[in-house]
Amino acid sequence: MRVKNWLWFSDFFSSSEVHLHGFTEHLLEKTTRFQDIDIVDTPFFGRMLIIDGDVQSSEKDEFIYHEAMVHPAMLLHPHPRRVLIMGGGEGATAREVLKHKTVEELYMVDIDEDMIAAAREFLTSWHQGAFDDPRMHLIFDDARKVVENFENGSLNVVISDLTEPFEMGPSFPLFTKQFAQVVYDKLDDQGVYVVQSSILRPLIYTMHAAIRRTLQAVFPVVRSYAVYVESFDTPWSFIIASKGKDPMDWTSEELHGAIRERISGELKMYDAESHWHMFYLPKNIREAIDEPGPILDEEHPIYLTRKGDILPYK
């Protein structure tokens, strides 16, 4: 069907797989020192953020990604007061963290000040004023340097909402075993680290598996989970690495109670049933990501393929 007055954005998954998004208005096209940012209005998903040619989030379904990333990790810690976010430029990750009544200090570290400025202007339904919350400490700097400056044991939850570590790109050092050890040291004895961990499909899982193996080399409890994000048109994965509780150790009654008692504001996607759904992965995925392989190591870097250049693993 031909639709007049639409422009089209091509989201490449591989040389033979392309997902098309029609849009009606191009609100922002900006190349910063670190990335290419586009913000468009689409008839189906509403406003959409695109970074370096990849869909990052959309107005209609961003809550799925951000609730999935934040709440399993935040609830796993018994009393999260000091939380650090790396990345998360839209402000929606911060929005979800600030729903937790125990939070006293939230540090958000993003290297790209232009991204935050764009979010403040164009993505108000994402951040909903989170940048101006009195508990928020917004830092524009290299995340590794900032994390290293915290005292050991001083953080309760660390959230990595960074771009993927493809092709030895700028995020790669923040996914290595060495950096995982830095995060481990900065967390208290019940500390929780959650990482966005790329696409998780039957034929596209090698990046997730490498991140998982890397965290398993440092943390005693490591769990993979995933949720389908419609604007991505793929399941998207996360990994929780915990020094204390296992996210599979809840009962449904305990989890329902924790959500009710500890979170203020509306949750659109996440509850106890959604929690189990995300963590119970299919057999073929479980077997694939448990296969042996290399970890992400600063001294022995490995090549990870960027979305758009992906070939099936098997």
Side-chain angles (χ1 to χ4, degrees):
M1 180 178 67
R2 182 181 179 186
V3 181
K4 294 182 179 179
N5 301 321
W6 284 18
L7 301 171
W8 294 90
F9 160 67
S10 301
D11 188 5
F12 282 87
F13 277 59
S14 73
S15 59
S16 62
E17 183 181 358
V18 182
H19 301 211
L20 294 175
H21 293 277
F23 64 95
T24 54
E25 188 173 0
H26 201 160
L27 299 167
L28 179 70
E29 182 179 10
K30 187 176 184 64
T31 298
T32 76
R33 289 191 299 146
F34 305 101
Q35 55 198 347
D36 293 325
I37 301 171
D38 291 273
I39 298 175
V40 300
D41 277 341
T42 75
F44 196 80
F45 290 109
R47 191 154 294 180
M48 181 179 284
L49 172 66
I50 302 164
I51 293 182
D52 292 335
D54 292 334
V55 175
Q56 297 296 302
S57 59
S58 82
E59 184 178 11
K60 295 292 180 66
D61 68 356
E62 57 81 11
F63 68 91
I64 298 172
Y65 174 97
H66 292 107
E67 289 186 17
M69 162 156 271
V70 169
H71 298 302
M74 289 291 293
L75 290 167
L76 200 60
H77 193 282
H79 195 82
R81 294 177 294 105
R82 300 185 85 202
V83 180
L84 181 135
I85 299 169
M86 298 181 292
E90 305 104 315
T93 302
R95 178 197 73 212
E96 294 301 317
V97 169
L98 292 168
K99 290 179 180 178
H100 286 257
K101 300 173 185 178
T102 58
V103 172
E104 298 172 4
E105 296 177 285
L106 172 59
Y107 298 87
M108 178 175 164
V109 186
D110 198 295
I111 200 168
D112 195 345
E113 193 166 355
D114 289 330
M115 177 63 241
I116 304 302
R120 282 184 178 274
E121 181 176 356
F122 295 104
L123 305 180
T124 55
S125 69
W126 277 257
H127 60 78
Q128 298 178 18
F131 295 122
D132 300 314
D133 189 286
R135 294 168 289 176
M136 168 71 90
H137 304 274
L138 188 57
I139 304 167
F140 298 109
D141 207 337
D142 175 69
R144 180 162 192 155
K145 182 172 68 175
V146 172
V147 174
E148 288 175 340
N149 284 335
F150 279 92
E151 293 183 5
N152 285 356
S154 65
L155 293 170
N156 306 130
V157 178
V158 175
I159 299 171
S160 174
D161 193 8
L162 298 164
T163 56
E164 296 152 275
F166 60 83
E167 300 175 11
M168 284 297 294
S171 295
F172 184 91
L174 300 175
F175 285 82
T176 61
K177 177 184 176 181
Q178 289 81 0
F179 184 69
Q181 185 64 56
V182 171
V183 173
Y184 181 95
D185 293 340
K186 303 308 175 184
L187 289 167
D188 69 6
D189 59 5
Q190 296 293 312
V192 182
Y193 184 31
V194 61
V195 182
Q196 82 79 11
S197 307
S198 191
I199 296 170
L200 190 56
R201 293 165 62 182
L203 297 179
I204 304 175
Y205 60 84
T206 54
M207 185 175 290
H208 178 97
I211 298 169
R212 174 185 167 92
R213 288 190 297 266
T214 302
L215 293 173
Q216 286 174 326
V218 176
F219 283 83
V221 178
V222 175
R223 291 285 187 180
S224 297
Y225 64 107
V227 64
Y228 179 75
V229 181
E230 192 169 357
S231 60
F232 297 175
D233 200 16
T234 184
W236 204 264
S237 72
F238 307 89
I239 301 172
I240 281 182
S242 171
K243 295 174 74 172
K245 187 174 180 178
D246 188 323
M248 298 297 284
D249 283 349
W250 293 103
T251 67
S252 292
E253 293 74 16
E254 288 172 339
L255 188 50
H256 277 304
I259 292 170
R260 183 176 59 253
E261 294 167 12
R262 292 173 50 177
I263 296 175
S264 60
E266 180 187 15
L267 298 184
K268 297 180 180 180
M269 183 279 295
Y270 182 73
D271 62 7
E273 289 186 35
S274 299
H275 181 92
W276 303 127
H277 178 73
M278 292 189 296
F279 280 89
Y280 282 124
L281 298 174
K283 177 184 177 182
N284 59 322
I285 294 291
R286 297 196 310 270
E287 291 178 347
I289 63 179
D290 279 340
E291 290 179 356
I295 67 171
L296 306 183
D297 191 305
E298 291 178 1
E299 297 176 2
H300 305 287
I302 63 173
Y303 179 90
L304 293 174
T305 307
R306 180 186 173 93
K307 182 166 78 72
D309 299 323
I310 291 171
L311 294 174
Y313 187 58
K314 287 187 177 179

